[in-house]
Amino acid sequence: MKIVIQVHWRDSAKAWGLLVRHSPGVALPDRVFVVSAEAARALRKAGIRFTQKSREASPSGAIAGEIT
C-alpha cells in the first residue's frame, strides 16, 4: 500500500535521510512523499512528524484497512 505524506518542515532533513535508506518512494515538492506503509511506520518510530494526505485504495474501492 502506498501513502502520500507531507513531512513537517523541521523534520524534513531527518525524514529524507531515513527515506533514502529505507525504501523506494517518490519525492514531490513541498516535502510531500509517496511511501510504503512500512516507511511511514519507520518515520513514526523515528519520531518524524508528518501528516497523511492520501492512501491507496484497494481494488474494491475501499481505503486499505477500511471495513466495507
Side-chain angles (χ1 to χ4, degrees):
M1 173 179 53
K2 297 293 181 189
I3 301 172
V4 179
I5 62 169
Q6 184 174 33
V7 176
H8 189 276
W9 67 271
R10 289 188 179 180
D11 293 333
S12 61
K14 187 176 177 183
W16 181 254
L18 189 143
L19 290 172
V20 168
R21 290 187 312 267
H22 198 273
S23 67
V26 177
L28 301 169
D30 298 323
R31 304 171 324 278
V32 174
F33 298 91
V34 181
V35 300
S36 66
E38 181 182 335
R41 282 191 297 275
L43 289 170
R44 282 191 190 100
K45 186 176 178 181
I48 296 170
R49 295 169 288 181
F50 65 88
T51 55
Q52 182 175 311
K53 299 294 185 180
S54 181
R55 169 184 334 188
E56 184 177 55
S58 70
S60 70
I63 300 287
E66 182 178 71
I67 298 174
T68 55

